[in-house]
Amino acid sequence: MVVTTTIPANLGDIPIKGGKVATKFSFQNTGKGNLTILKGQTSCMCTVANISKVGSSISPTITMPMGQGSSGTRLDITLAPGETAELIAVFDPMAHGPDAVGPIKRDVILTTDSTETPEIRFSFLGNVVR
């Protein structure tokens, strides 16, 4: 299975007191068989994400794993060949406190049942400013 994504280049300057910022990633199963997204996780507690498909509800909220043995949010979302989905990542610039300014890079990582594409990583960049 192969999954294609459309990734925004950069969120640019993010005002620390400007509220949460969302970015959207579109992706598609370009393989010949079903692709199941087993679980997801974010790289930091300041970021959460959800997946939706046309005609279906939004997934459970994907978060950073907390605690020993935690391996991410269970999803079990299947994409048929050619099917597209969207991942919406939400970054909270105040999550690390009012002095946490500077460049950021955050990831949302999905684990799949594919041997060709066992992991799909969505990344975004930005610069938190006062």
Side-chain angles (χ1 to χ4, degrees):
M1 311 286 154
V2 178
V3 176
T4 58
T5 62
T6 304
I7 300 175
N10 194 315
L11 297 180
D13 287 342
I14 303 166
I16 193 158
K17 294 184 180 179
K20 296 176 182 177
V21 178
T23 188
K24 186 185 303 185
F25 301 88
S26 295
F27 60 106
Q28 180 181 37
N29 176 3
T30 60
K32 295 186 186 301
N34 286 344
L35 174 75
T36 300
I37 301 166
L38 304 171
K39 61 186 175 178
Q41 65 183 49
T42 63
S43 61
C44 184
M45 61 90 170
C46 63
T47 303
V48 297
N50 291 94
I51 297 172
S52 63
K53 298 189 316 182
V54 174
S56 72
S57 61
I58 292 177
S59 73
T61 299
I62 301 166
T63 62
M64 180 179 175
M66 298 291 187
Q68 191 172 9
S70 180
S71 63
T73 305
R74 184 176 173 86
L75 297 171
D76 290 324
I77 297 170
T78 300
L79 296 177
E83 189 170 18
T84 301
E86 288 185 337
L87 181 137
I88 299 173
V90 179
F91 170 72
D92 182 354
M94 283 293 285
H96 296 287
D99 294 323
V101 295
I104 58 115
K105 178 183 181 284
R106 298 296 183 261
D107 299 304
V108 180
I109 304 107
L110 304 179
T111 303
T112 77
D113 66 346
S114 170
T115 56
E116 291 177 44
T117 312
E119 182 180 278
I120 307 166
R121 184 174 296 260
F122 301 92
S123 300
F124 62 91
L125 305 170
N127 185 42
V128 179
V129 296
R130 289 193 202 284

